[in-house]
Amino acid sequence: MQIIHRLCTIPLVVLSFSFLLPSGLRGEGVTREEFVALLEASHPVFNKERLASDILAAERKGLRGVADWNLSSSLSYSHEEPTLALTGPERTDAWSFQAGVTKQLWGSGGQFSVTNVFTRSTSQIAPSPFLPAYPGTFHDNSLEVQYSHPLLKNRGGVLTRLPFTLKSYDIDVAGIEAEERIEDFLADALLRYLDWVYLEEQQRIARERLELSEKELVRTQRKYDAYLVDSTDVIRASDAVNIWKQNLGLIQSGLGAVRRELSVLLQEPRLGEREPHFDLYSLSMLPTLTEARQELVETSRILHVLRLRKEQLGVSGDGARHASRPDLSLVGAVALKNGDEAFAKAFEAKKTDAALGLQLQVPLENTSARADIERNRLQLLQIDYEADDVRLSLESSLASLHEQLVQLERVLALNREQIASAELRTREEMALYEKGRGDLTFVIMSRDSEEAARLTYAENAVNYQKLWVRYQALLDKLYEPVTFQ
């Protein structure tokens, strides 16, 4: 029996010494805020999701290319020999070079172009007294400026800017959806953090119970040595120590697994040397269900995405209606030109051409445009139904979470009462046992009952904290987003 006494005293001393270690030696506590900060700094999912809107923004920049200046040029050679040359040249060789720039105007939707055409022709004509002198070589140069302005279809450049405008909505939606995915990931990570907190609390409770069992075994051994109790009391106290050692081993096994998982998740190898710093038993201020529903409608990212999609469909519908209009354009052109045998004189703008007119193109059936308009109308109707469906689903989940949180608050209050009652019973059983009027079995049972109440309290508390994480995630308040470009 003395051997049992010595073996049980050693772990008690080691356990007591571990609680006396400075907090710096055991590692600083990891708060929930620090956990989130470490996760955001180390895990690639945050940067990956934030790039979603940047990629679409880069695509949107490319859509401005429709308004870029476009340069075109051509060089050609022609040789002509008429089948019957009575009054004209017998042969003509001509070189022609054309260069120009065109631009689609972003603001008006009109098209502006500047074109220069230079031609050098060489003709061979048989001499005749009946024909005036005809130059053998002739240079011709023309500079033309033309502008076409839409009056009905694409008026104000609506269709020119439409892809760019629609892509802007895609960028906003991508940013919001990225925030939602990040929040889902963060919620899962925080649930694992709460598992870590819960297992640490379980370990603390089990260690306290093991410490009490070891103290009781030492006390019982002393009483046995003094012939005050039977050997069965020593056996009972020893069994209690072994049981709680087993319980502690199981808890530490799960705790080690969670620590390793979070260490990899945070890319923090020394996480196992630290402890979570979180008040598992703190309760949050829960608003009324009516207030929560109002907040849900105002802050829900999913509903905001649907509102943006509806606005996008409205813009797309305006574009479809513009596309169904007749294509009426005002076209104006001015050309400065000249021709001469001398190369340099051909570039002297001595003559002017000008034109002004209307161009009209009317689709007789307009099948595609009418189909686009009808499709847009049906999509708007569909998204209204989808918004109602999503809102009802969110409100249903909110009502369920709200009710669970309310009920758990009441259960936690009962748990505290149960712990207080179990502590009182343990003190009474101990007092009876010390006076010799009680049995050690009842003392062990009351202590087990007390620790079971503490473990139940911890389990209900972690369930409450997990529900609160889901509640915050549902209201989109768990993750504070960065500003998306």
Side-chain angles (χ1 to χ4, degrees):
M1 289 301 177
Q2 294 297 331
I3 295 176
I4 296 177
H5 175 81
R6 295 191 190 99
L7 290 177
C8 292
T9 305
I10 292 173
L12 176 60
V13 172
V14 172
L15 183 62
S16 301
F17 180 73
S18 67
F19 281 110
L20 295 175
L21 284 174
S23 59
L25 297 179
R26 291 177 300 173
E28 297 179 357
V30 181
T31 65
R32 170 173 157 164
E33 292 75 16
E34 184 183 359
F35 177 83
V36 173
L38 287 171
L39 189 65
E40 190 169 358
S42 61
H43 204 282
V45 71
F46 292 88
N47 290 328
K48 182 197 75 171
E49 294 296 345
R50 288 167 185 165
L51 284 174
S53 58
D54 293 338
I55 293 171
L56 291 178
E59 292 180 8
R60 183 181 63 176
K61 289 181 181 178
L63 297 176
R64 289 297 299 260
V66 70
D68 289 347
W69 287 97
N70 292 290
L71 174 65
S72 62
S73 63
S74 63
L75 178 65
S76 61
Y77 167 77
S78 64
H79 173 81
E80 297 181 6
E81 294 182 5
T83 55
L84 182 61
L86 296 178
T87 59
E90 296 176 348
R91 187 186 73 185
T92 302
D93 295 289
W95 287 93
S96 179
F97 175 74
Q98 176 179 329
V101 291
T102 59
K103 180 179 178 61
Q104 188 87 15
L105 299 185
W106 188 257
S108 65
Q111 186 169 1
F112 177 78
S113 64
V114 179
T115 307
N116 190 90
V117 181
F118 175 78
T119 304
R120 182 182 187 275
S121 60
T122 303
S123 302
Q124 183 178 352
I125 303 175
S128 172
F130 304 103
L131 294 175
Y134 194 91
T137 301
F138 191 77
H139 301 89
D140 186 21
N141 186 70
S142 175
L143 178 65
E144 181 182 6
V145 178
Q146 180 175 310
Y147 175 67
S148 175
H149 186 77
L151 298 176
L152 291 177
K153 184 178 181 179
N154 196 29
R155 182 178 179 181
V158 172
L159 296 181
T160 302
R161 297 188 301 274
L162 183 61
F164 184 89
T165 304
L166 295 178
K167 184 64 69 174
S168 299
Y169 285 97
D170 291 337
I171 293 172
D172 292 339
V173 168
I176 295 172
E177 290 177 343
E179 292 173 8
E180 189 70 14
R181 288 190 293 270
I182 288 175
E183 187 169 61
D184 290 341
F185 170 79
L186 186 58
D188 291 338
L190 282 174
L191 293 180
R192 296 305 290 155
Y193 172 79
L194 289 173
D195 287 336
W196 183 23
V197 174
Y198 173 54
L199 287 168
E200 289 282 2
E201 180 67 6
Q202 275 192 314
Q203 178 180 251
R204 184 189 66 81
I205 294 172
R207 279 178 172 172
E208 287 181 356
R209 183 65 182 90
L210 176 60
E211 181 183 3
L212 290 174
S213 298
E214 290 173 337
K215 286 181 178 179
E216 189 59 42
L217 176 58
V218 172
R219 184 186 303 125
T220 305
Q221 180 64 46
R222 289 173 179 172
K223 287 185 177 182
Y224 175 74
D225 294 340
Y227 304 102
L228 297 177
V229 296
D230 296 332
S231 61
T232 54
D233 286 346
V234 178
I235 295 173
R236 291 190 187 101
S238 179
D239 288 342
V241 170
N242 291 330
I243 289 172
W244 280 101
K245 281 182 178 179
Q246 295 173 26
N247 292 340
L248 183 59
L250 291 174
I251 293 171
Q252 289 176 337
S253 173
L255 180 58
V258 171
R259 281 174 176 170
R260 287 184 177 272
E261 179 185 352
L262 294 180
S263 178
V264 174
L265 189 67
L266 297 177
Q267 300 180 43
E268 178 58 51
R270 300 187 60 184
L271 188 69
E273 302 174 11
R274 306 179 65 182
E275 297 178 357
H277 184 73
F278 181 81
D279 187 358
L280 187 63
Y281 304 105
S282 64
L283 301 182
S284 303
M285 291 294 296
L286 188 66
T288 65
L289 185 56
T290 302
E291 293 172 341
R293 283 174 177 169
Q294 180 64 31
E295 188 175 8
L296 176 68
V297 173
E298 295 174 355
T299 63
S300 172
R301 293 193 189 99
I302 299 176
L303 292 178
H304 186 45
V305 165
L306 292 176
R307 287 192 289 267
L308 287 175
R309 288 303 187 193
K310 186 173 182 179
E311 292 179 15
Q312 186 181 34
L313 284 173
V315 174
S316 179
D318 291 340
R321 284 184 286 274
H322 264 272
S324 67
R325 294 177 178 178
D327 190 358
L328 177 64
S329 299
L330 176 65
V331 181
V334 176
L336 302 176
K337 64 181 183 176
N338 194 30
D340 200 274
E341 294 180 64
F343 174 80
K345 290 186 178 181
F347 290 90
E348 297 177 358
K350 293 183 177 180
K351 297 181 180 180
T352 303
D353 292 340
L356 183 65
L358 291 173
Q359 290 182 347
L360 177 63
Q361 182 178 359
V362 181
L364 296 180
E365 295 184 4
N366 220 357
T367 304
S368 297
R370 288 203 304 270
D372 289 341
I373 293 173
E374 178 62 13
R375 181 190 63 184
N376 183 264
R377 185 187 70 82
L378 294 175
Q379 287 176 328
L380 283 171
L381 186 61
Q382 183 187 44
I383 208 166
D384 284 336
Y385 285 125
E386 184 178 359
D388 290 339
D389 180 30
V390 169
R391 180 179 54 79
L392 289 174
S393 178
L394 291 174
E395 289 185 355
S396 175
S397 299
L398 178 66
S400 175
L401 288 173
H402 191 277
E403 181 63 23
Q404 291 180 72
L405 287 169
V406 170
Q407 294 300 328
L408 267 179
E409 286 183 359
R410 298 171 182 171
V411 170
L412 290 171
L414 293 174
N415 289 151
R416 289 190 291 272
E417 294 178 4
Q418 183 181 8
I419 292 172
S421 175
E423 289 175 346
L424 179 60
R425 179 185 171 187
T426 299
R427 288 195 296 270
E428 291 177 351
E429 291 292 347
M430 278 294 299
L432 290 174
Y433 180 69
E434 292 294 335
K435 294 177 181 179
R437 294 187 297 167
D439 194 283
L440 182 61
T441 302
F442 297 119
V443 175
I444 294 174
M445 289 176 59
S446 69
R447 281 181 174 168
D448 287 344
S449 177
E450 181 181 340
E451 299 308 317
R454 294 183 185 278
L455 289 172
T456 301
Y457 184 41
E459 182 180 359
N460 290 332
V462 77
N463 288 336
Y464 176 91
Q465 300 298 341
K466 287 183 175 182
L467 285 173
W468 182 252
V469 167
R470 296 190 183 99
Y471 180 84
Q472 287 184 302
L474 185 65
L475 292 177
D476 294 328
K477 297 174 65 177
L478 188 64
Y479 171 66
E480 293 295 333
V482 297
T483 302
F484 288 88
Q485 300 298 324

